[in-house]
Amino acid sequence: MDFFFNPEGIAVVGATTNPLKGGYAILKNLLTGYRGNIYPVNPRYQKIDGLPCYPSVSAITGHVDLVIVFIPAKLVPAAIEDCVAKGVRGVMIESGGFAETGQDGRALQQSLKDIANRTGIRLWGPNCMGLVDALHSHVFSFMDPYSLKHGLLLPGKVSLVVQSGLLSAGFLVDIMSHRIMGISKVCSVGNKIDVNECDLLSYLLKDINTEVIGLYLESFSDGKLFADLCRQSAKPIVALHGGKSKKGAEAAMSHTAALAGNYKIISGALAQIGVTEARDFHQMMDLCRSLAAVSRPVDRPGRIAILTFSGGSGIVTSDFIEEQGLSVAELSPATRDALARLFPDWMPVSNPVDLWPAIEKHGGTNIDVYSMALKAVLDDPNVDAVFIHTFAGNFRIGLNIADLAEQTRAAGKPAFVWLLGRHEEAFRFKEAALSLGIPVFQEISRAVECLAAVFHQKNPSSVVERSQEKEAAIPLPAELNNILETASGPLDEYTTKRILKAHGIPTVEEEIIADAAQCEKISSRIGFPVVMKGLQQGKVHKTELGLVHLGITDARTALRSFETLMEKMKGQGRILIYRQVEGKIELILGLLRDPQFGPCVMLGLGGIMAEIISEAVFAPAPLAEQDALELISRLRGQKIFDGFRGEPPVNRKDLARMIVALGDIGLKYPRIQEIDINPMIIGENGIVAVDATIVLG
Amino acid sequence: MDFFFNPEGIAVVGATTNPLKGGYAILKNLLTGYRGNIYPVNPRYQKIDGLPCYPSVSAITGHVDLVIVFIPAKLVPAAIEDCVAKGVRGVMIESGGFAETGQDGRALQQSLKDIANRTGIRLWGPNCMGLVDALHSHVFSFMDPYSLKHGLLLPGKVSLVVQSGLLSAGFLVDIMSHRIMGISKVCSVGNKIDVNECDLLSYLLKDINTEVIGLYLESFSDGKLFADLCRQSAKPIVALHGGKSKKGAEAAMSHTAALAGNYKIISGALAQIGVTEARDFHQMMDLCRSLAAVSRPVDRPGRIAILTFSGGSGIVTSDFIEEQGLSVAELSPATRDALARLFPDWMPVSNPVDLWPAIEKHGGTNIDVYSMALKAVLDDPNVDAVFIHTFAGNFRIGLNIADLAEQTRAAGKPAFVWLLGRHEEAFRFKEAALSLGIPVFQEISRAVECLAAVFHQKNPSSVVERSQEKEAAIPLPAELNNILETASGPLDEYTTKRILKAHGIPTVEEEIIADAAQCEKISSRIGFPVVMKGLQQGKVHKTELGLVHLGITDARTALRSFETLMEKMKGQGRILIYRQVEGKIELILGLLRDPQFGPCVMLGLGGIMAEIISEAVFAPAPLAEQDALELISRLRGQKIFDGFRGEPPVNRKDLARMIVALGDIGLKYPRIQEIDINPMIIGENGIVAVDATIVLG
């Protein structure tokens, strides 16, 4: 992939002198920063901008690693063939007019794919804006050349992979010119015909100039590979998934002709594989730059010292800190003493630390109140990070940004800044802070959210442990194995539960009864009340068919039920009996096959709770026990597992093991399309699957 | 109150030539814009800035309406007395050192309050930053005079009342200098010794230069009056309440020595009285300026047309629009035709409308794609508002802001703009948009949130209707009335339910039984299963005391229960019997007395659901039926009321009437501290209070 980033020789097919065309902008942008040979290609010109212009790529004599194409879609296949003939390694197709435009475009796009498959040439795009590498001033993009003037490109540690031209062009100009952040590389992937987010993620994970990766994706080309890459990443990854709502997804379809995945599954997958999910463009950049500025605080719970010049903003900050799962640090006695010395006598020391009275007290002296207070809180072992409020352009509220950078570096603790100020002064302050690596924010809530993201990062080492946890596969009785290999559609409840049980998922004790004698014997042995069900091949809606008899309290009723059910089924089924399970908590546990992420487990609340909060969490398999525990903790309402109203707490590890097993079943048997365990009841004797269905494809 | 805003003559007590003192800044700021007479007061000077300086206020010969005080706290009482002697109408005490500093300060503050009570002089502050009126260039504040240079004060339609100096100083400088918004008046209320948010709200509601009011409050001085003012307001009100978390509230206590109210009660009150709740400073301003820029759309559901130059941002916008309860407009055929004519042939028309292909198609021509597309969607009867994405400084993405303002004005539909661009160009665009009254946003999510606030405003007319709905008071039997007037502590379940029933709240049918004969007769009449309870004066935890017998299925068991309970109570109580009520939905309905808002009703989910989502909503009494219906609709999980799994839907009006009645009880009997109806069961025969306790003060 490196030939896309650092090519030896670039040709531009569609180069032109017409400033309204993309080929013009691409050439201009290359001339600004790229140091290798540049070859304009266009049969209509002899020279462009003093460079010799070639009729075709194959007519170029020099070495060409990369070709950037901006010509009408229908001319692209021939141009690619010409690149193949020349021995070019990669082509960025930046023109549109492919799958995003309908039937004909899809066919055209497929023809490009065929060339790539046949020849091995790598194709990036089409319908994309290529690459911007701010560190090397490589702008392989048709973005407006005017935007690049005045030293716009601001190198940084964050690289982006984006399925939207905007984020690699106008948005980039905005954030760099506003001194919000610098950038390492931005890759605009467009229709992802060949090069996709996984290729680029792999490359960026190894790139020494990339410390954090941000992704804007409307679809996932290979969810499983993506998940594996993220799980193994030591670099923080932030992702924004566009196309959550129905309308959004519709737009996604026509925009890049990509399948937008189910939002909850994607959200669950991102959480599980340690990716920080973003929700808006600027917010995504704020998360990225925060994670890039600050290294992962190890074993630090996130106790924040707040230095402010306003009581009100201290209060609002405290509110957000608790809301985001961080805490307002309890300052140690030494810190309180140090601060008390700065303050007027009447001023009680507390956190948030309101510096204004100290600023007033020391007005006109050389005492730098901010610097001294900062030292006091950074020295405090109870403080994990500092959040400082300042105002640029007021001579009394003087935060020395260089001192701040130096002190936080020495202490090894992050400092975030909330900045107010006059327009010009604030801009200069942000510029200085950016160069010193201090994250500055315009909004308190955003700053705290980003601080929380820093402290709540998953520990990547746990991923390695997980891969070592896997146990040996469980052998399945031949009979059941045979069913899984040959049957289709829904399996009956009894068969389903036998399969689940064989994989370690506890099920109700149950038996099939064939005659009245068995009915009497087995029902008495199991103990009343019992449930009896008529099972018929392919019929899943047993209740609606009158094939479920609940709350049978004696042998006589059991026999009557047996007879009624036998009659109803007219010999076309069998009768299942099990002891009725009582429990206050009902869960739904499921497995489904996501087109992007493969088998995913689902955990939801069942019974009446499902009606009220219809809450469910998802995670792609395979899961280690720790993943499953995290999945459980993501469920809203999960605190019922800790015991309530005298109920015993649920053994979360037991539940986690069942979730892991369910995911493994999904991976092991690709013919299983769906598993629905509903209800999974938490009763006196632990967690049991009471009813369940496996659906085969 | 007008003498605070438009005083005839202002004296500054504590005026000085020392630029580090507040008295210096106050005088400087007055000199910048105030056109009346200014009188510095300080015995140490003869003249300041060319103005004669007076030793005391009473020494001034000219008329003085307003005195601004910035001297050490302990000198303030004498200064106020001097103002009284002079016949001054109002004093702004801007110096700190009062209740926020502890015991001595509280005493000092009380002495000021005493003077105000005794003399009728109005006191604003202390510990505040006074007033800024951008329209009249009145800066009665010690904010940094440097900040005011370069025409900082930007007049606007939004007025603020803030319990934080920051929001009336540094923050104000920030938002005005960044061209985020202009301001009418900002009132910094500080410790609210006399002039409080209600006084100022009353004033601003009548102020012709104020169209929207924003409040930052850490406490409410008079919750009931505040609620009344907001209910009657025709102007949109936005409020941010600082001090939500425990830590936040602690900081609030020390900052302005104010009681921060319970967050959920305040949130509920704000929602009920039609106030838009904000959560952060900038977000509050974004809400205010949006509501000021756009008038309330009447009977418009909020169908949004999105004009963008990027598919990706269109997708993300759609996601937010659905999340915020707005909808992406279905464009009419005429609109689709008009847009299709702008687009290249291959381009399907949809909303979000991606203009980029049209911009490319018409590049180099005179066709203004933005303007034409805007006209098409504004003409569409299915479109209620337009959200336009643009980039400042790219010659191809040329949004003419004046044309936009003209078109939206003519169409009477709001247009919001998401702006990207180079730093300088974006600033100039924002400046132009602000002067034309078009709201511009940096973040998509924020813009959509503000659009939603515009469409989700409560209709103020409903408030008037409500006041006419009240029915005549219900007479209470003398016996019960007597109990409410003389008893104290918790009333027993039976008495409580009789009181509730008398006020129209349905309760279980129940009786007190005195002997075995009654037990047999009444239990048989009621019908099994029954519940029996031993009631004892002052004992509320009946279950823990073994005084509750549930599920009694026959007369013999009933008799046994009667004997057991009698024995347990040793003659010190009475026995209650009622038919056991079955129902899948349990609610908790309550009343509590909030120190700020008075009696507030609470509605929550009961039973296991309370354990899982511990959800409750609050509203201050009195409530009209419509208020109560809105309260119900605010409850997360309220969709269970619509019927689920074959259960009949709950009659929301019945429930609403009970909520209204509960609030009325709270208003009618000030001795009632608390009412707890738990559970309120929704069963076959509607909603009934099954257990309940009234606690008297």
Side-chain angles (χ1 to χ4, degrees):
Chain A
M1 290 291 291
D2 196 57
F3 49 83
F4 278 119
F5 293 87
N6 298 299
E8 194 188 328
I10 302 179
V12 180
V13 174
T16 164
T17 57
N18 178 351
L20 290 173
K21 301 276 184 183
Y24 169 89
I26 292 168
L27 192 62
K28 279 280 172 208
N29 291 336
L30 282 181
L31 288 165
T32 323
Y34 177 64
R35 304 265 164 255
N37 291 326
I38 302 168
Y39 306 99
V41 175
N42 189 335
R44 291 162 60 200
Y45 299 95
Q46 295 293 317
K47 280 202 165 194
I48 298 180
D49 260 331
L51 293 171
C53 189
Y54 298 82
S56 66
V57 171
S58 52
I60 299 167
T61 45
H63 185 80
V64 179
D65 262 352
L66 175 66
V67 174
I68 307 176
V69 172
F70 201 100
I71 51 176
K74 61 182 187 298
L75 305 178
V76 172
I80 307 292
E81 295 284 11
D82 189 42
C83 292
V84 172
K86 169 69 183 167
V88 166
R89 300 168 77 184
V91 181
M92 278 179 187
I93 307 157
E94 303 197 1
S95 29
F98 294 89
E100 76 280 8
T101 64
Q103 186 81 46
D104 295 351
R106 274 196 292 277
L108 206 54
Q109 184 163 313
Q110 185 57 46
S111 71
L112 297 186
K113 199 160 184 169
D114 294 342
I115 300 174
N117 289 342
R118 176 165 46 84
T119 66
I121 194 168
R122 298 304 306 266
L123 302 182
W124 174 316
N127 187 30
C128 76
M129 296 197 71
L131 169 74
V132 175
D133 178 336
L135 202 60
H136 301 99
S137 298
H138 286 176
V139 182
F140 304 165
S141 156
F142 65 96
M143 69 188 284
D144 184 3
Y146 169 80
S147 309
L148 294 172
K149 288 186 178 170
H150 318 296
L152 176 93
L153 289 182
L154 210 59
K157 301 170 180 177
V158 175
S159 287
L160 305 173
V161 177
V162 297
Q163 200 171 346
S164 161
L166 177 74
L167 290 179
S168 55
F171 188 79
L172 207 58
V173 173
D174 183 279
I175 58 171
M176 293 200 286
S177 85
H178 282 85
R179 298 299 185 268
I180 292 169
M181 68 190 289
I183 282 288
S184 179
K185 298 170 178 66
V186 183
C187 313
S188 163
V189 292
N191 292 5
K192 305 195 289 191
I193 190 175
D194 170 25
V195 171
N196 63 29
E197 68 273 16
C198 292
D199 296 306
L200 294 166
L201 192 54
S202 300
Y203 181 85
L204 295 172
L205 286 174
K206 291 185 211 110
D207 176 32
I208 54 161
N209 295 316
T210 296
E211 296 184 16
V212 170
I213 300 160
L215 306 157
Y216 169 74
L217 295 173
E218 291 165 7
S219 68
F220 292 81
S221 300
D222 182 343
K224 277 177 281 189
L225 176 56
F226 177 79
D228 285 342
L229 288 168
C230 293
R231 276 198 194 94
Q232 288 154 30
S233 169
K235 301 179 183 179
I237 301 174
V238 177
L240 169 59
H241 170 241
K244 292 182 180 68
S245 68
K246 210 178 120 277
K247 269 283 169 189
E250 269 173 34
M253 297 294 270
S254 63
H255 181 45
T256 51
L259 179 72
N262 176 293
Y263 168 55
K264 279 194 170 179
I265 292 178
I266 290 173
S267 245
L270 295 177
Q272 192 211 325
I273 61 185
V275 172
T276 302
E277 190 177 0
R279 59 172 189 279
D280 201 351
F281 296 145
H282 275 284
Q283 185 244 8
M284 173 176 161
M285 299 305 150
D286 290 339
L287 289 168
C288 286
R289 66 191 177 94
S290 299
L291 292 164
V294 167
S295 53
R296 190 188 305 269
V298 179
D299 298 330
R300 289 271 182 178
R303 297 162 300 178
I304 314 298
I306 304 158
L307 300 185
T308 183
F309 59 100
S310 146
S313 54
I315 287 167
V316 168
T317 301
S318 297
D319 290 347
F320 285 120
I321 282 178
E322 292 210 357
E323 192 185 299
Q324 288 284 337
L326 301 169
S327 65
V328 177
E330 294 283 348
L331 301 179
S332 71
T335 308
R336 303 178 81 90
D337 287 351
L339 290 172
R341 283 193 292 275
L342 268 179
F343 285 160
D345 291 340
W346 57 263
M347 174 84 180
V349 173
S350 64
N351 184 20
V353 184
D354 184 353
L355 295 176
W356 181 250
I359 291 167
E360 282 200 312
K361 178 182 167 188
H362 299 285
T365 72
N366 281 334
I367 291 172
D368 182 341
V369 171
Y370 262 97
S371 180
M372 292 180 71
L374 187 63
K375 178 156 176 28
V377 294
L378 284 172
D379 282 349
D380 192 327
N382 298 338
V383 170
D384 301 326
V386 185
F387 184 29
I388 306 175
H389 301 171
T390 191
F391 184 96
N394 180 303
F395 74 103
R396 304 180 72 181
I397 306 166
L399 173 61
N400 180 334
I401 183 78
D403 171 66
L404 171 68
E406 176 50 32
Q407 282 207 52
T408 53
R409 195 201 52 72
K413 295 178 181 179
F416 279 37
V417 174
W418 180 52
L419 176 71
L420 292 176
R422 287 179 62 90
H423 184 240
E424 302 76 16
E425 285 92 338
F427 183 77
R428 285 197 296 273
F429 186 98
K430 281 202 292 180
E431 209 162 24
L434 186 59
S435 72
L436 291 163
I438 301 288
V440 171
F441 296 84
Q442 192 193 8
E443 281 203 282
I444 296 173
S445 48
R446 181 60 53 79
V448 175
E449 190 187 349
C450 289
L451 250 180
V454 163
F455 279 94
H456 296 159
Q457 282 173 87
K458 262 199 183 180
N459 185 349
S461 68
S462 67
V463 172
V464 179
E465 290 160 24
R466 282 167 211 192
S467 61
Q468 298 164 350
E469 273 181 29
K470 283 281 159 234
E471 286 159 36
I474 298 139
L476 194 66
E479 178 210 351
L480 294 176
N481 211 43
N482 187 42
I483 291 172
L484 285 175
E485 277 170 15
T486 59
S488 68
L491 300 182
D492 77 24
E493 181 176 342
Y494 181 66
T495 310
T496 295
K497 281 186 270 187
R498 283 174 69 205
I499 294 168
L500 295 178
K501 193 174 180 182
H503 288 89
I505 296 174
T507 56
V508 285
E509 274 206 56
E510 59 188 10
E511 292 198 42
I512 294 290
I513 45 179
D515 53 40
Q518 275 193 333
C519 179
E520 185 164 359
K521 202 175 84 187
I522 293 173
S523 65
S524 306
R525 194 181 69 219
I526 286 177
F528 295 100
V530 296
V531 176
M532 286 169 71
K533 289 180 177 175
L535 310 183
Q536 285 181 299
Q537 185 60 35
K539 305 263 169 78
V540 286
H541 299 291
K542 296 182 286 275
T543 304
E544 288 78 350
L545 294 169
L547 295 176
V548 179
H549 288 204
L550 295 168
I552 300 166
T553 51
D554 54 62
R556 211 165 50 121
T557 318
L559 194 58
R560 218 161 47 219
S561 282
F562 178 76
E563 280 157 7
T564 312
L565 290 170
M566 285 303 273
E567 202 173 311
K568 267 208 178 136
M569 295 197 297
K570 301 191 177 79
Q572 297 299 307
R574 48 190 187 162
I575 288 174
L576 180 70
I577 186 167
Y578 58 79
R579 188 181 165 117
Q580 188 155 323
V581 180
E582 303 292 344
K584 291 207 176 145
I585 304 175
E586 290 184 22
L587 301 175
I588 304 173
L589 208 59
L591 178 95
L592 52 83
R593 208 162 281 282
D594 181 68
Q596 304 188 20
F597 288 96
C600 293
V601 294
M602 185 213 73
L603 170 68
L605 294 173
I608 190 175
M609 297 173 281
E611 309 289 334
I612 297 169
I613 58 175
S614 62
E615 172 74 7
V617 287
F618 295 83
L623 292 95
E625 193 175 300
Q626 184 56 32
D627 292 315
L629 287 170
E630 284 171 21
L631 179 78
I632 295 167
S633 73
R634 289 211 310 273
L635 189 72
R636 205 178 122 95
Q638 47 93 14
K639 63 175 183 172
I640 48 163
F641 298 148
D642 300 331
F644 70 98
R645 293 197 184 172
E647 296 280 311
V650 172
N651 188 324
R652 285 177 185 246
K653 286 206 162 187
D654 283 352
L655 183 56
R657 274 189 290 268
M658 296 171 208
I659 293 168
V660 170
L662 202 63
D664 290 346
I665 294 172
L667 286 169
K668 190 170 160 195
Y669 306 104
R671 296 191 69 244
I672 295 182
Q673 293 308 302
E674 221 177 285
I675 302 177
D676 192 40
I677 309 180
N678 183 12
M680 187 99 186
I681 292 184
I682 299 177
E684 280 177 11
N685 303 315
I687 311 168
V688 285
V690 172
D691 195 352
T693 310
I694 287 177
V695 181
L696 296 173
Chain B
M1 291 289 293
D2 196 57
F3 50 83
F4 278 119
F5 294 88
N6 298 298
E8 193 187 328
I10 302 180
V12 181
V13 174
T16 165
T17 56
N18 178 351
L20 290 172
K21 301 276 183 183
Y24 170 89
I26 292 168
L27 193 61
K28 280 279 172 207
N29 291 337
L30 282 181
L31 288 165
T32 323
Y34 177 64
R35 302 266 164 255
N37 291 324
I38 302 169
Y39 306 99
V41 176
N42 191 332
R44 291 163 58 201
Y45 299 95
Q46 295 292 316
K47 279 201 166 199
I48 298 179
D49 260 331
L51 294 171
C53 190
Y54 298 82
S56 66
V57 171
S58 53
I60 300 168
T61 45
H63 185 81
V64 178
D65 263 352
L66 175 65
V67 174
I68 307 176
V69 171
F70 201 100
I71 52 176
K74 61 181 186 300
L75 304 178
V76 172
I80 307 291
E81 295 283 10
D82 189 41
C83 292
V84 172
K86 169 69 183 166
V88 166
R89 299 168 78 185
V91 181
M92 278 180 186
I93 307 157
E94 302 197 0
S95 30
F98 294 89
E100 77 280 8
T101 64
Q103 187 80 47
D104 295 351
R106 274 195 293 277
L108 207 52
Q109 183 162 314
Q110 185 57 46
S111 72
L112 298 186
K113 199 162 184 168
D114 294 342
I115 300 174
N117 289 343
R118 175 165 47 85
T119 66
I121 194 167
R122 297 304 306 267
L123 302 181
W124 174 315
N127 187 29
C128 76
M129 296 196 71
L131 170 73
V132 175
D133 178 336
L135 202 60
H136 302 98
S137 297
H138 287 175
V139 182
F140 305 164
S141 156
F142 64 95
M143 69 188 284
D144 184 3
Y146 170 80
S147 309
L148 294 172
K149 288 186 179 170
H150 318 297
L152 176 92
L153 288 182
L154 210 60
K157 303 169 178 176
V158 175
S159 288
L160 304 174
V161 177
V162 296
Q163 200 171 347
S164 161
L166 177 74
L167 291 179
S168 56
F171 188 78
L172 207 58
V173 173
D174 183 279
I175 58 171
M176 293 200 285
S177 86
H178 281 86
R179 297 299 185 267
I180 292 169
M181 69 191 287
I183 282 288
S184 179
K185 298 170 178 66
V186 183
C187 313
S188 162
V189 292
N191 292 5
K192 304 196 288 191
I193 190 176
D194 170 27
V195 171
N196 63 29
E197 68 274 16
C198 292
D199 296 306
L200 294 166
L201 192 53
S202 300
Y203 182 84
L204 295 171
L205 286 173
K206 292 185 210 107
D207 177 32
I208 55 162
N209 295 316
T210 296
E211 295 184 14
V212 170
I213 299 160
L215 306 156
Y216 169 75
L217 295 172
E218 291 165 9
S219 68
F220 292 81
S221 300
D222 182 343
K224 276 177 281 188
L225 176 56
F226 178 79
D228 284 343
L229 289 168
C230 293
R231 277 198 193 95
Q232 288 156 29
S233 169
K235 301 179 183 180
I237 300 175
V238 177
L240 168 59
H241 171 241
K244 293 182 181 68
S245 68
K246 210 177 119 277
K247 270 284 169 190
E250 268 172 36
M253 297 294 269
S254 64
H255 180 46
T256 51
L259 180 72
N262 176 293
Y263 169 55
K264 278 193 170 179
I265 292 178
I266 290 172
S267 245
L270 296 177
Q272 193 211 326
I273 61 185
V275 172
T276 302
E277 190 177 0
R279 58 171 189 279
D280 202 351
F281 296 145
H282 275 285
Q283 185 244 7
M284 172 175 161
M285 300 304 151
D286 290 339
L287 288 168
C288 286
R289 66 191 176 94
S290 300
L291 292 164
V294 168
S295 53
R296 192 188 304 269
V298 179
D299 296 330
R300 289 269 181 180
R303 297 161 301 180
I304 315 297
I306 305 158
L307 301 185
T308 183
F309 60 99
S310 145
S313 55
I315 288 168
V316 167
T317 301
S318 298
D319 290 346
F320 285 119
I321 282 178
E322 293 211 357
E323 192 184 298
Q324 289 285 336
L326 300 170
S327 66
V328 177
E330 295 283 349
L331 302 179
S332 71
T335 310
R336 303 179 80 92
D337 287 351
L339 291 172
R341 284 193 292 277
L342 269 179
F343 286 161
D345 292 340
W346 57 262
M347 175 82 181
V349 173
S350 64
N351 183 20
V353 185
D354 186 352
L355 295 176
W356 182 250
I359 291 168
E360 281 200 313
K361 177 182 168 189
H362 299 286
T365 72
N366 281 334
I367 291 172
D368 182 341
V369 171
Y370 262 98
S371 180
M372 292 181 73
L374 187 63
K375 180 159 177 23
V377 295
L378 283 173
D379 281 348
D380 193 328
N382 297 338
V383 170
D384 302 325
V386 184
F387 184 29
I388 306 175
H389 302 170
T390 191
F391 184 96
N394 179 303
F395 74 103
R396 304 180 74 180
I397 306 166
L399 173 61
N400 180 333
I401 184 78
D403 171 65
L404 171 68
E406 177 49 32
Q407 282 208 51
T408 53
R409 194 201 52 73
K413 294 179 181 177
F416 279 37
V417 174
W418 180 52
L419 177 71
L420 292 177
R422 287 180 61 91
H423 184 240
E424 302 77 15
E425 285 92 338
F427 183 77
R428 283 197 297 272
F429 186 99
K430 280 201 294 179
E431 209 162 24
L434 186 60
S435 72
L436 292 164
I438 301 287
V440 172
F441 296 85
Q442 191 193 8
E443 281 202 282
I444 295 174
S445 48
R446 180 60 54 79
V448 175
E449 190 187 351
C450 289
L451 251 180
V454 163
F455 280 94
H456 295 159
Q457 282 172 87
K458 262 199 182 179
N459 185 349
S461 69
S462 66
V463 173
V464 180
E465 291 160 25
R466 282 168 211 190
S467 60
Q468 298 163 348
E469 274 182 28
K470 282 285 158 231
E471 287 160 34
I474 299 140
L476 195 65
E479 177 210 351
L480 294 176
N481 211 42
N482 186 41
I483 291 173
L484 285 175
E485 277 171 14
T486 59
S488 68
L491 299 182
D492 77 23
E493 180 177 345
Y494 182 65
T495 311
T496 296
K497 280 185 270 186
R498 283 175 70 205
I499 294 168
L500 295 177
K501 194 175 180 183
H503 288 87
I505 296 173
T507 57
V508 284
E509 275 205 55
E510 57 189 10
E511 292 198 42
I512 294 290
I513 45 178
D515 53 39
Q518 276 194 332
C519 178
E520 186 163 3
K521 203 177 82 186
I522 294 173
S523 65
S524 304
R525 195 182 69 219
I526 288 178
F528 296 100
V530 296
V531 176
M532 286 169 71
K533 289 179 178 174
L535 309 184
Q536 284 180 299
Q537 185 59 35
K539 304 263 169 77
V540 286
H541 299 292
K542 297 180 286 275
T543 305
E544 288 77 351
L545 293 170
L547 294 175
V548 179
H549 287 206
L550 295 168
I552 299 166
T553 51
D554 53 63
R556 211 167 47 122
T557 319
L559 194 59
R560 218 162 46 221
S561 281
F562 177 76
E563 281 156 6
T564 313
L565 290 170
M566 285 304 273
E567 200 173 314
K568 267 208 178 133
M569 296 197 298
K570 301 191 178 77
Q572 296 300 306
R574 48 191 188 162
I575 287 174
L576 179 70
I577 186 166
Y578 58 80
R579 191 184 163 115
Q580 188 156 325
V581 180
E582 302 293 343
K584 292 208 175 145
I585 303 175
E586 290 184 23
L587 301 175
I588 304 174
L589 208 58
L591 178 96
L592 52 83
R593 208 163 281 280
D594 181 68
Q596 304 189 17
F597 287 95
C600 293
V601 294
M602 185 213 75
L603 170 68
L605 295 173
I608 190 175
M609 296 173 283
E611 308 289 334
I612 296 169
I613 59 175
S614 62
E615 172 76 7
V617 288
F618 296 83
L623 292 95
E625 194 176 300
Q626 185 56 33
D627 291 314
L629 288 170
E630 283 171 22
L631 179 78
I632 295 168
S633 73
R634 290 212 311 273
L635 188 72
R636 205 178 121 97
Q638 48 94 13
K639 62 175 184 173
I640 48 162
F641 298 148
D642 301 330
F644 70 99
R645 291 196 186 173
E647 296 281 312
V650 173
N651 188 325
R652 286 177 185 243
K653 285 206 165 189
D654 283 351
L655 182 57
R657 274 190 290 267
M658 295 171 209
I659 292 168
V660 171
L662 202 63
D664 290 346
I665 295 171
L667 285 169
K668 189 171 160 194
Y669 306 104
R671 296 192 68 242
I672 295 181
Q673 293 308 303
E674 220 177 284
I675 303 178
D676 191 42
I677 309 180
N678 182 12
M680 187 98 185
I681 293 184
I682 299 177
E684 280 176 12
N685 303 314
I687 311 168
V688 285
V690 173
D691 194 353
T693 309
I694 287 177
V695 181
L696 296 173

